[in-house]
Amino acid sequence: TGLTPGQRVVTIQQGPLYRTEGSHVTLWCKVSGYQGPAEQNFQWSIYLPSAPEREVQIISTVDPSFPYAIYTQRVRGRGVFVERLQGDAVLLHITELQERDAGEYECHTPNTDERYFGSYSAKTNLSVIPDTLSASMAPQALTRMEGDAVELTCEVSKSTAQHTHLSVGWYLLRGAGEHRAEEILTLSKDFTLKPGPSYEQRFLEGDVQLNKVGNTTYKLIIRGVKPSDQGQLYCEAAEWIEDPDGTWKDISSKQTERTSLAVVSQGRDLSVDITAAEHSLSEGDTLQLSCVVGAPESSSRHFQVIWLLDDMEVARVDPHGVLVWEEEYKERAKLGQLQAFKPSNRVYVLTIYEVGLKDKGSYQCSVSEMKTPGDLHSIQTVVSSSIQVDVKPIESHMRLSVSTSTPRVTAGDALVLHCAVQGATGPVSLRWWHLPPQHPGRRVLVATMERDGTLGLGGAYQDGRARGSLRLQKESSGTFTLVIPSTLDEDDSGQYRCEATQWSRGRNWTEKGEAAVTVSSMGLGLHATLRSRIATVSYGQSFELFCQVEASYTLEDVPVSVQWLFQPSPPTGPVHKLVQVLPNGTVVWGTAQPRFQGKAQLAKADTSFRLHIHSALPANEGTYQCEVEVWRRNILPLGQPAASTSSNAVGIKVVLPESKLQVATKDSSVEIASAHAAIECRIVFAQSNSQFAVTWYRLPLAADAAPLQIVRANYSSILEYGSEFSSPAQKSRFLSQRVSSNVFQLQILSAEAEDQGRYYCVVEEWLWLVDGWYKLGEGTSGRTTLKFELSERELQMEKTNHSISAREGQEVTLPCRLLGALPPGSRLSATWFQVKSSGGDSALLSLRHDGTVEYPQEPLAGRLYLRRASAGDFSLTLSSAESGDAGAYYCQLQEWKQQSEGKDWALQALACSGYTQLATIPPESTVLSRICSSPPLLNFILYLPLVLILLLVLAVFCLYCKFRK
């Protein structure tokens, strides 16, 4: 036909729309201009304000798997569903609107056309606002005589931010089981009064009125009540808002509690009518029954009223108003749970507070009229009326959910726990418990909130210095929020239980819920790494150390302290604490390195801490470490740190200025004839501002002998002698002198034959560097061999080797004799030596040619002396021999002769004796004890008498046999 198919158009209810939380909401959507089947499919989605670009799928008419997880349960439970109005129009129903349902809704129609042409979706905005409408009226049980007037008031209020209107109406339920209410009179949203059909005429006559007497108070007046007005009356308020399309929508409605109205008809001589404020109650409610006696001239007549429950008497009131309770009700009456009274001669009231299941049944009011008060035989008439009362068990509809916005925290972080209580119809008290995982079955009270809002803390949480000041508060939405400002450690992990108890009419119900929290230690993941760009620095050069700190939490959010530690090289004692930066920024300098403060600079960048040391000195050489301590946040004073860590050690070596020292290394030889010698040590090159320490050594002529330290003169010229040269005699003979700026000499006075050997010096170069003397290097000189010039003639000595034994404690003499005579003018000197296993021979006693005696071994001076039986006898006497004296000994004789008058004495010849081997024997008592302690000898001594007796007996027997022959 040449016609072009229409363009598809999707239309949705115009927004923005405002609906109250908890209300039933509908959104319509329709499609036109489409091709394909008459029944089109629809898909609903929402774009939440928190993520306006992200589509959240709600429901589809074609795909059951379309809803996202957050809507799946509501769709399955028909909390969200789609109603099809016709093939191309639907209604989206949300039966109980939630705050999270606010957002931009999209209605989409899958394509059924031959080609895409037109719009396939449309959007509208829905805002969820709080339901602030309230309507209340105190429940009453009213009894009026026909023709009386009734006035009822209803309090209606709202606090909605949007522009809304109210409607207020009154309704009547006539029968006890009637659910269809009849409208009496309504003030509509457009401020007009509209009576119900049954009350239209009376409204026009002015007998039924509705007046607004205050900002929130509405009053219903019914004049000339009729029996048809009897029943349950209540007030209903509705809140209306105008949608963008101009239509008005009721977004909330509330009904008040009901008032019971009983109308007693006129015209009978005696009538009884019983009414109840409520026919159906729950446990704990209050039951109020009114019994109205209808009779002309009732004030002058005498009535007795009996209250019965299921035909069993409860109480009676006589004509004088005296009340008598049946036996089983007396105790409850004493406790104030029951009350019966007579407001007038024709009205009688029975009230039961906090009714129980046993109070349900058929209540009857029986009225007896008497001619004479108290005369039971004068009863004229008995009239009764009954009413059925139902008492239902109380069921709690309270629901509880527990959540936390801090499921995983680090020690020191705050814990925030939420306990949402919904559906509670009475006051609620709350208990928070901690269930520590390390103690299964144990629970620790954290905080409480009583029904009146009184707060309490568990014993472990009362000290605010530990976890801060706990807060427990109730939000307007019924959510109780617990805040623990600062967690202690991992022990705060575990389940946190909320116990909510609803209190209503003497009963209570408790619901529980839990949320899990994990608290990590501040030491978890805390790590410090120390590094330096250079490990070796020159004297005077600056260097830097970087302490990089890492943790599983943000270090900038917690108090941190960094301390720098130093161990000199070589170690001189405990580690030195150089400096510490406290969490408040205070810098505390250590006392072990007094010069350190003026040389160091501290800096921080994020989680890296820097130590910069200017102009390095040898005293800065050693190993460095950084130590990091962290505290929990939100706690003052800080107290003990929550965790600490130490970095790796980084060694820094400080290289001193290079030594330029050069010492003469050429070997030389010195031969002397006199008694004095000088050994020279020459410095070839050194820095001009250096000082020197010189140590002199002697190597005996034996090839394998170890060098002996003679004397050391330090850079301050203080002398220190070696152990072999520490006697006063030796100190007086060996002197170290500096004879020029680069020449040192070892002076040997009264040189002797044993002084022969190879001499050398070790020179140390020392330099003063700011804070002390430092050794730059050292050099060793060449060897100088010292010998005596001897004549060709030899001394004749006894060369025989001897072996001598001496008992410990006794005196022993070791032989040493000269054979032959000395030339005229010559003198002898003698020295005794003990052969040591170490290879060097130790001088024990020296007799100089001038007659003086020296004892190189001072401890032996009191036990050694020379027994000069003749001029050539130099035997050594050792008094009180000891076990340590055992060994080999020999003596050396030296011939000296003065060259001329006043000249030095010169060594002419020398010779050594043979070796004397000394063996020491323990004392007699010691020998005897050793013998006796020997088991074979001891056994022999014990059995010797027995052996002798046996031998004697054998000899006698042999003689006897001989004589018999």
Side-chain angles (χ1 to χ4, degrees):
T1 62
L3 296 176
T4 302
Q7 178 178 336
R8 175 184 288 258
V9 176
V10 176
T11 308
I12 194 171
Q13 188 170 343
Q14 184 180 353
L17 302 174
Y18 295 92
R19 298 294 184 263
T20 55
E21 187 176 3
S23 63
H24 186 139
V25 174
T26 60
L27 297 175
W28 59 259
C29 180
K30 61 185 179 180
V31 60
S32 62
Y34 57 87
Q35 299 176 20
E39 185 172 285
Q40 293 287 297
N41 285 310
F42 294 82
Q43 294 177 337
W44 289 88
S45 302
I46 185 174
Y47 296 84
L48 300 174
S50 58
E53 301 300 324
R54 180 172 174 263
E55 178 187 8
V56 179
Q57 298 175 179
I58 301 175
I59 191 170
S60 170
T61 60
V62 64
D63 184 5
S65 65
F66 183 78
Y68 278 8
I70 61 173
Y71 283 98
T72 300
Q73 287 298 112
R74 295 173 71 182
V75 171
R76 289 177 181 173
R78 296 281 293 174
V80 177
F81 64 92
V82 174
E83 175 189 1
R84 188 177 289 279
L85 302 178
Q86 56 189 45
D88 55 6
V90 295
L91 272 181
L92 172 66
H93 287 261
I94 302 176
T95 58
E96 187 175 350
L97 190 65
Q98 301 178 12
E99 186 178 359
R100 63 176 179 172
D101 293 328
E104 186 178 40
Y105 283 76
E106 180 180 40
C107 173
H108 175 75
T109 59
N111 183 37
T112 60
D113 306 334
E114 293 180 358
R115 62 189 181 92
Y116 283 92
F117 185 53
S119 65
Y120 291 85
S121 65
K123 295 181 180 179
T124 190
N125 275 300
L126 173 65
S127 296
V128 180
I129 61 176
D131 184 0
T132 62
L133 179 65
S134 68
S136 62
M137 179 180 69
Q140 303 176 72
L142 302 178
T143 302
R144 296 291 184 269
M145 296 299 295
E146 186 176 0
D148 288 350
V150 172
E151 291 186 3
L152 298 175
T153 58
C154 178
E155 294 290 332
V156 179
S157 65
K158 67 178 179 69
S159 58
T160 308
Q162 287 70 30
H163 177 70
T164 58
H165 289 185
L166 290 176
S167 65
V168 180
W170 296 88
Y171 296 84
L172 171 65
L173 283 169
R174 284 201 169 90
E178 181 65 46
H179 297 290
R180 184 168 168 235
E182 182 176 352
E183 182 181 8
I184 300 175
L185 184 59
T186 299
L187 176 63
S188 69
K189 64 180 181 301
D190 51 3
F191 315 115
T192 59
L193 290 172
K194 297 180 179 179
S198 301
Y199 289 86
E200 186 172 356
Q201 185 59 38
R202 297 168 68 184
F203 170 70
L204 295 174
E205 294 174 353
D207 290 338
V208 177
Q209 299 178 2
L210 194 160
N211 299 322
K212 185 176 182 182
V213 295
N215 289 334
T216 60
T217 304
Y218 298 81
K219 179 182 288 188
L220 173 69
I221 302 173
I222 303 177
R223 295 188 179 90
V225 295
K226 300 178 180 181
S228 61
D229 296 328
Q230 183 169 284
Q232 304 288 319
L233 290 87
Y234 65 89
C235 168
E236 182 175 288
E239 186 174 8
W240 300 75
I241 193 168
E242 187 177 15
D243 285 344
D245 60 3
T247 61
W248 285 86
K249 170 65 179 173
D250 56 325
I251 59 174
S252 178
S253 64
K254 298 289 172 64
Q255 286 186 8
T256 66
E257 295 187 75
R258 298 170 184 176
T259 288
S260 174
L261 175 62
V263 179
V264 179
S265 300
Q266 300 282 7
R268 291 180 293 172
D269 183 58
L270 181 61
S271 64
V272 175
D273 193 9
I274 185 171
T275 60
E278 286 284 347
H279 294 268
S280 180
L281 301 97
S282 298
E283 283 184 280
D285 288 346
T286 297
L287 171 63
Q288 187 179 67
L289 299 173
S290 296
C291 181
V292 179
V293 179
E297 300 178 355
S298 60
S299 59
S300 60
R301 299 167 71 172
H302 310 292
F303 304 111
Q304 175 181 266
V305 176
I306 300 176
W307 291 97
L308 302 101
L309 171 59
D310 294 332
D311 297 326
M312 301 295 294
E313 183 173 336
V314 176
R316 65 174 59 203
V317 182
D318 68 10
H320 298 291
V322 177
L323 172 65
V324 178
W325 292 99
E326 190 63 25
E327 188 64 34
E328 64 178 287
Y329 292 95
K330 287 182 178 179
E331 184 63 28
R332 293 177 66 186
K334 288 181 182 178
L335 296 175
Q337 297 176 359
L338 303 178
Q339 186 180 33
F341 62 96
K342 175 183 175 183
S344 66
N345 199 37
R346 65 186 187 88
V347 179
Y348 298 81
V349 178
L350 172 65
T351 304
I352 302 177
Y353 301 98
E354 297 182 1
V355 296
L357 297 178
K358 62 185 176 181
D359 295 320
K360 70 177 181 179
S362 177
Y363 284 84
Q364 185 178 358
C365 173
S366 177
V367 180
S368 304
E369 185 176 5
M370 303 178 181
K371 283 188 176 181
T372 306
D375 184 1
L376 296 178
H377 299 287
S378 65
I379 295 178
Q380 293 179 319
T381 309
V382 177
V383 182
S384 64
S385 178
S386 62
I387 190 172
Q388 187 71 28
V389 174
D390 185 26
V391 179
K392 298 176 182 178
I394 300 178
E395 296 181 0
S396 173
H397 298 285
M398 181 174 68
R399 302 187 307 278
L400 180 146
S401 62
V402 181
S403 62
T404 176
S405 55
T406 54
R408 301 186 68 87
V409 298
T410 301
D413 290 344
L415 278 187
V416 181
L417 300 155
H418 307 283
C419 184
V421 179
Q422 297 177 331
T425 57
V428 174
S429 62
L430 207 74
R431 294 282 188 278
W432 278 101
W433 301 89
H434 176 217
L435 311 179
Q438 62 271 27
H439 301 292
R442 179 187 171 198
R443 63 178 189 174
V444 179
L445 182 63
V446 180
T448 65
M449 179 180 285
E450 302 301 334
R451 286 175 283 176
D452 59 359
T454 303
L455 299 179
L457 296 177
Y461 294 83
Q462 291 179 358
D463 186 358
R465 294 172 297 178
R467 295 179 177 86
S469 300
L470 271 67
R471 301 192 304 274
L472 176 56
Q473 56 192 19
K474 180 181 179 183
E475 312 292 343
S476 59
S477 59
T479 298
F480 296 81
T481 299
L482 173 67
V483 179
I484 302 176
S486 180
T487 49
L488 273 181
D489 47 33
E490 301 100 315
D491 291 344
D492 284 346
S493 297
Q495 299 285 336
Y496 283 81
R497 175 182 296 169
C498 173
E499 291 184 358
T501 302
Q502 174 188 341
W503 303 82
S504 180
R505 298 170 178 141
R507 297 188 60 186
N508 62 81
W509 298 264
T510 299
E511 295 289 336
K512 302 175 183 178
E514 296 177 4
V517 170
T518 301
V519 180
S520 301
S521 166
M522 296 195 73
L524 182 65
L526 182 63
H527 179 71
T529 303
L530 186 63
R531 60 184 177 84
S532 175
R533 293 192 177 97
I534 52 177
T536 301
V537 297
S538 300
Y539 165 76
Q541 182 183 357
S542 298
F543 65 93
E544 288 183 330
L545 296 165
F546 298 90
C547 181
Q548 182 66 45
V549 185
E550 298 175 351
S552 58
Y553 44 90
T554 305
L555 277 172
E556 288 83 348
D557 295 340
V558 300
V560 179
S561 166
V562 176
Q563 182 169 233
W564 292 92
L565 306 176
F566 173 64
Q567 177 62 271
S569 177
T572 58
V575 175
H576 296 175
K577 296 180 180 180
L578 297 179
V579 62
Q580 183 177 16
V581 182
L582 301 179
N584 61 1
T586 302
V587 177
V588 181
W589 296 94
T591 57
Q593 295 277 335
R595 295 179 179 271
F596 185 79
Q597 181 174 353
K599 296 172 58 64
Q601 180 181 354
L602 302 170
K604 176 182 179 293
D606 297 329
T607 59
S608 179
F609 299 85
R610 180 171 65 94
L611 174 64
H612 183 96
I613 298 179
H614 301 277
S615 302
L617 295 175
N620 302 135
E621 179 173 321
T623 55
Y624 292 79
Q625 270 186 298
C626 64
E627 186 177 85
V628 180
E629 295 177 330
V630 294
W631 284 261
R632 294 182 299 123
R633 73 185 81 188
N634 304 326
I635 290 298
L636 289 174
L638 293 177
Q640 292 298 316
S644 63
T645 186
S646 295
S647 73
N648 55 296
V650 170
I652 297 294
K653 180 175 179 59
V654 180
V655 179
L656 295 174
E658 184 179 357
S659 175
K660 305 295 184 180
L661 176 67
Q662 295 181 21
V663 180
T665 58
K666 185 177 180 181
D667 293 341
S668 61
S669 178
V670 175
E671 290 189 2
I672 60 172
S674 64
H676 302 291
I679 310 297
E680 187 177 272
C681 178
R682 182 179 298 275
I683 298 174
V684 178
F685 182 81
Q687 298 183 56
S688 60
N689 57 344
S690 297
Q691 295 294 330
F692 305 99
V694 178
T695 306
W696 291 95
Y697 294 90
R698 185 181 76 188
L699 278 167
L701 293 175
D704 57 348
L708 301 175
Q709 179 181 330
I710 303 171
V711 63
R712 180 179 189 271
N714 68 8
Y715 52 77
S716 299
S717 300
I718 297 175
L719 299 181
E720 179 185 345
Y721 284 86
S723 59
E724 299 289 337
F725 299 86
S726 59
S727 67
Q730 294 286 63
K731 288 181 180 181
S732 65
R733 294 199 309 114
F734 290 90
L735 299 175
S736 177
Q737 294 180 339
R738 184 172 187 174
V739 296
S740 68
S741 61
N742 63 332
V743 177
F744 294 84
Q745 277 188 354
L746 175 67
Q747 298 285 341
I748 306 175
L749 307 179
S750 301
E752 300 178 354
E754 64 264 23
D755 295 332
Q756 297 181 103
R758 292 170 292 164
Y759 290 79
Y760 67 93
C761 69
V762 176
V763 180
E764 301 170 4
E765 183 179 13
W766 290 79
L767 190 64
W768 175 263
L769 299 175
V770 182
D771 59 343
W773 288 95
Y774 293 94
K775 179 180 173 181
L776 301 186
E778 66 178 34
T780 303
S781 70
R783 271 54 171 173
T784 300
T785 303
L786 176 63
K787 295 181 179 179
F788 278 91
E789 295 178 357
L790 303 177
S791 64
E792 295 181 357
R793 186 174 55 81
E794 295 183 359
L795 287 177
Q796 299 298 316
M797 290 187 67
E798 184 179 335
K799 300 285 188 177
T800 307
N801 294 330
H802 300 274
S803 180
I804 299 176
S805 297
R807 194 176 302 281
E808 293 179 16
Q810 294 183 352
E811 184 179 274
V812 61
T813 299
L814 307 178
C816 177
R817 296 180 181 85
L818 175 70
L819 300 178
L822 281 176
S826 294
R827 293 183 184 180
L828 288 177
S829 67
T831 302
W832 273 96
F833 296 90
Q834 184 180 17
V835 180
K836 294 294 184 180
S837 59
S838 60
D841 297 338
S842 177
L844 304 177
L845 179 148
S846 293
L847 173 65
R848 302 299 179 189
H849 56 76
D850 58 0
T852 60
V853 179
E854 294 179 357
Y855 296 92
Q857 304 292 331
E858 289 187 5
L860 299 177
R863 296 199 297 125
L864 300 177
Y865 59 92
L866 293 176
R867 177 170 292 178
R868 301 295 303 278
S870 62
D873 189 354
F874 294 90
S875 299
L876 176 67
T877 299
L878 178 63
S879 65
S880 186
E882 298 176 357
S883 59
D885 296 334
Y889 296 81
Y890 69 92
C891 74
Q892 183 186 78
L893 297 181
Q894 303 166 1
E895 179 187 351
W896 298 84
K897 189 171 184 179
Q898 192 173 24
Q899 302 297 325
S900 59
E901 187 69 27
K903 300 291 184 179
D904 291 336
W905 289 79
L907 181 64
Q908 301 298 309
L910 59 84
C912 292
S913 70
Y915 290 97
T916 300
Q917 185 69 36
L918 173 63
T920 58
I921 303 172
E924 290 183 3
S925 59
T926 306
V927 173
L928 180 60
S929 65
R930 289 180 180 176
I931 293 174
C932 292
S933 63
S934 174
L937 291 176
L938 182 61
N939 292 337
F940 176 78
I941 294 170
L942 291 175
Y943 289 101
L944 181 60
L946 180 61
V947 172
L948 293 176
I949 292 172
L950 290 174
L951 291 174
L952 180 61
V953 171
L954 182 60
V956 172
F957 180 77
C958 291
L959 289 173
Y960 174 77
C961 291
K962 185 175 181 181
F963 288 134
R964 286 288 304 268
K965 291 179 180 180

